[in-house]
Amino acid sequence: MSAVELYPGYVSPLGVGTIPHEDIENHTGLELLQRIVDGTYPAPPIGAALNYGLVEVSEGRAVFRGVPNERHLNPLGGVHGGWAATLLDSALACAVQTLLAKGEAYTTAEFKVNLTRPITPGTGEVVCEGVVVHKGRTLAVSEAKLLDGNGKLLAFGTETCSIFPAEKLKPR
């Protein structure tokens, strides 16, 4: 693997890839995500495709930074709402992952996004912070805000994730 720039100034030293499944059994969700932040694991491919990356994690919290550009435009020349939705989904779900025990996995069951301001290639770097508001045994709920460099709200969302044994991730 070789280094890849996810967005201007943010490089993933190991390029892109996924967390080895066997590591899910041996590390908590927070430990796994911290390894992405630290560069021990590669960045997820979606970040390279959409120009954003995970920059900070703590218990119940995940922070991403990204830069929208011309590759993300809709037919009218604004950044497609799906770009913001995908960034929000990443922060919402990774916030949940930070609370998972060894051997636990998750998937998004439902999420809602509200877009509050237009996003353009001129918006510049954005920050998206997700936090968990509730975690039970099989479901977790999180919320996130997407802010521009001046702290203006661009979008926000909520998400429900299903939590299950990681062994269910294995191909059948």
Side-chain angles (χ1 to χ4, degrees), residues 74-96:
N74 64 28
L76 294 178
V79 171
H80 193 283
W83 184 83
T86 304
L87 181 49
L88 282 160
D89 180 41
S90 294
L92 290 159
C94 285
V96 169

Side-chain angles (χ1 to χ4, degrees), residues 35-155:
R35 287 171 173 231
I36 292 172
V37 173
D38 295 344
T40 305
Y41 291 147
I46 191 71
L50 294 181
N51 223 33
Y52 68 80
L54 179 64
V55 297
E56 186 180 339
V57 290
S58 58
E59 198 168 300
R61 183 173 168 270
V63 180
F64 285 78
R65 291 186 179 271
V67 179
N69 64 38
E70 291 78 14
R71 292 180 303 151
H72 310 124
L73 298 181
N74 64 28
L76 294 178
V79 171
H80 193 283
W83 184 83
T86 304
L87 181 49
L88 282 160
D89 180 41
S90 294
L92 290 159
C94 285
V96 169
Q97 185 176 342
T98 67
L99 297 181
L100 297 182
K102 294 176 184 178
E104 285 186 319
Y106 71 92
T107 191
T108 300
E110 176 275 335
F111 83 110
K112 181 182 186 318
V113 172
N114 289 80
L115 305 165
T116 58
R117 281 192 168 80
I119 301 172
T120 70
T123 297
E125 185 179 66
V126 299
V127 177
C128 189
E129 179 179 357
V131 294
V132 175
V133 295
H134 168 78
K135 181 188 178 287
R137 191 175 50 82
T138 60
L139 288 176
V141 179
S142 54
E143 60 187 12
K145 291 181 181 179
L146 179 62
L147 306 174
D148 71 9
N150 296 316
K152 288 187 180 178
L153 183 67
L154 301 171

